[in-house]
Amino acid sequence: MKQLRNNVIRAGLGALYFSGAHHLLRPLLSGVGAIFMLHHVRPAREAAFQPNRHLEVTPEFLRATLCHLRSRDIDIVSMDELHERLVQGRFDRRFAAFTLDDGYRDNLDYALPVLREFDAPLAVYVASDFAEGTGRLWWAALEAVIAKTEQVDVRVGHSALRLDATTPAAKQATFDRLHDWLRALPGEHDLAREIEALCTTYDVDMEALCRSLCLSWAEVKSFAADPLVTIGAHSVSHCNLAKLAEDVAAQEIATSRARIEQALQRPVLHLAYPYGDREAAGMREFGLAATAGFKTAVTTRPGMLFADNAAHMTALPRVSLNGNYQDARILPVLTSGAATAMWNGFRRIAAA
């Protein structure tokens, strides 16, 4: 089903490009700017089974995106400047910001050198447990479990299942099924229990995986010393805030910020909601971020920026640079606003 959805999206992006419709729609839909969302930036991997491929782009595609923005005379700005332009209504030039979620080491190793070539600022949102080396990157752990076995035995509800993992296609189907099950569990403790059980059964060390992928506090501090870099908060444990009691969700946000501020000895003014979709960040979470005093908070809801977003600074949309669609031809479509407008049913603001 997810492969079908990817194929449909790819076909839609291609249709917008080859028809030239994005040129006609750009004046209506491109807004005043965009916030680009990334996770990993690293060289392409060869493995046939890569269920989290959508979370990574190559340095070459990032460079192509920056070249495209420069060719359209779009300013690349920090999140502080983006906030200022929205508040002040300074829209004489279009602008874009680059944001990277979770705090992966490849952001330092591969993304920063490319962004430096263009003197382009970036914001990196760090989940503090990841920097501690104790985080639960359950989607990466699930990939590691399925990659190393030919069948997965798991109890889902009252049913004991044996899922096929003999081929890349079977592994992908098993990943999709278990990923959706884990995300749908009622609480974060349920997710933790189930992924820890799978990791124990299939000998995957989740903390070692976290340490191998994520920046340590020393690396975050080194990263933050670069004048192009802003470090933002991304909760303590990368939890679904909407599933938590309000006081617990507020504590996740506050503690994450406090840990980062203690490590860096500077204020943390920007937040990214973990997962960031409608099931993980809504009006309550937007209010918590505003009450906590964040200048901006970003979602994963797709959308361009418009003047009206100035009234919703803790519910900002983003444009995903998705590893499944690394074709430079789609970049004019993304920056035209046509793709996100179609996804949103042509609503400019989706902050409810």
Side-chain angles (χ1 to χ4, degrees), residues 28-50:
L28 299 173
L29 303 177
S30 62
V32 300
I35 303 171
F36 289 101
M37 174 179 65
L38 304 95
H39 291 78
H40 291 282
V41 178
R42 59 190 180 189
R45 297 182 291 154
E46 297 299 324
F49 173 58
Q50 294 188 53

Side-chain angles (χ1 to χ4, degrees), residues 152-162 178 181 185 194 198:
V152 179
D153 293 310
V154 61
R155 179 169 291 278
V156 176
H158 298 296
S159 302
L161 304 180
R162 176 162 290 175
L178 294 180
W181 165 61
L185 289 170
E194 299 297 346
L198 280 167

Side-chain angles (χ1 to χ4, degrees), residues 16 74 79 88 248 266 304 309 342:
L16 286 168
I74 295 172
M79 288 301 293
Q88 296 179 357
V248 179
R266 68 179 67 175
M304 307 299 285
N309 283 111
M342 292 180 68

Side-chain angles (χ1 to χ4, degrees), residues 48-49 145-152 162-175:
F49 173 58
V145 164
I146 297 170
K148 68 186 300 183
T149 188
E150 293 194 345
Q151 65 182 37
V152 179
R162 176 162 290 175
L163 302 176
D164 183 18
T166 54
T167 66
K171 288 179 185 292
Q172 182 66 57
T174 292
F175 179 91

Side-chain angles (χ1 to χ4, degrees), residues 17-300:
Y17 173 78
F18 287 112
S19 69
H22 63 288
H23 292 302
L24 299 174
L25 294 170
R26 182 179 297 275
L28 299 173
L29 303 177
S30 62
V32 300
I35 303 171
F36 289 101
M37 174 179 65
L38 304 95
H39 291 78
H40 291 282
V41 178
R42 59 190 180 189
R45 297 182 291 154
E46 297 299 324
F49 173 58
Q50 294 188 53
N52 292 304
R53 189 196 307 267
H54 62 291
L55 297 177
E56 57 187 83
V57 301
T58 65
E60 292 75 21
F61 185 66
L62 175 59
R63 185 177 290 109
T65 304
L66 289 154
C67 285
H68 170 71
L69 295 174
R70 288 288 192 234
S71 75
R72 298 206 63 87
D73 205 26
I74 295 172
D75 294 340
I76 303 171
V77 302
S78 67
M79 288 301 293
D80 283 330
E81 184 170 346
L82 180 143
H83 173 269
E84 183 177 290
R85 290 193 186 195
L86 282 172
V87 168
Q88 296 179 357
R90 290 197 288 117
F91 307 137
D92 50 313
R93 292 176 59 84
R94 293 189 68 226
F95 52 88
F98 281 81
T99 61
L100 298 97
D101 288 9
D102 299 340
Y104 295 113
R105 185 169 291 111
D106 55 59
N107 296 177
L108 174 61
D109 294 341
Y110 293 104
L112 182 59
V114 174
L115 288 153
R116 275 179 178 156
E117 293 174 22
F118 297 82
D119 196 30
L122 63 154
V124 178
Y125 299 104
V126 173
S128 56
D129 274 358
F130 293 0
E132 296 280 352
T134 61
R136 187 173 62 246
L137 285 79
W138 64 266
W139 54 94
L142 182 62
E143 177 179 348
V145 164
I146 297 170
K148 68 186 300 183
T149 188
E150 293 194 345
Q151 65 182 37
V152 179
D153 293 310
V154 61
R155 179 169 291 278
V156 176
H158 298 296
S159 302
L161 304 180
R162 176 162 290 175
L163 302 176
D164 183 18
T166 54
T167 66
K171 288 179 185 292
Q172 182 66 57
T174 292
F175 179 91
D176 291 344
R177 181 169 185 177
L178 294 180
H179 180 281
D180 291 350
W181 165 61
L182 289 166
R183 274 233 44 195
L185 289 170
E188 287 295 310
H189 62 285
D190 300 300
L191 191 157
R193 181 189 66 246
E194 299 297 346
I195 193 63
E196 287 166 9
L198 280 167
C199 286
T200 298
T201 300
Y202 293 95
D203 194 27
V204 170
D205 187 331
M206 203 151 32
E207 289 193 4
L209 184 64
C210 176
R211 292 191 296 272
S212 73
L213 292 175
C214 296
L215 295 160
S216 67
W217 281 124
E219 290 168 317
V220 172
K221 190 171 182 178
S222 173
F223 204 179
D226 192 292
L228 291 174
V229 176
T230 297
I231 302 295
H234 199 38
S235 84
V236 173
S237 61
H238 198 284
C239 57
N240 184 327
L241 294 169
K243 290 186 176 181
L244 302 179
E246 184 169 345
D247 60 329
V248 179
Q251 189 66 23
E252 272 275 343
I253 294 170
T255 302
S256 172
R257 176 192 225 166
R259 287 185 184 176
I260 299 169
E261 290 181 338
Q262 182 178 15
L264 302 183
Q265 293 297 296
R266 68 179 67 175
V268 172
L269 303 174
H270 304 280
L271 172 73
Y273 304 104
Y275 308 109
D277 55 20
R278 291 181 180 276
E279 288 71 42
M283 292 298 293
R284 190 194 71 171
E285 289 67 45
F286 304 155
L288 290 174
T291 299
F294 285 98
K295 290 170 70 173
T296 70
V298 294
T299 69
T300 62

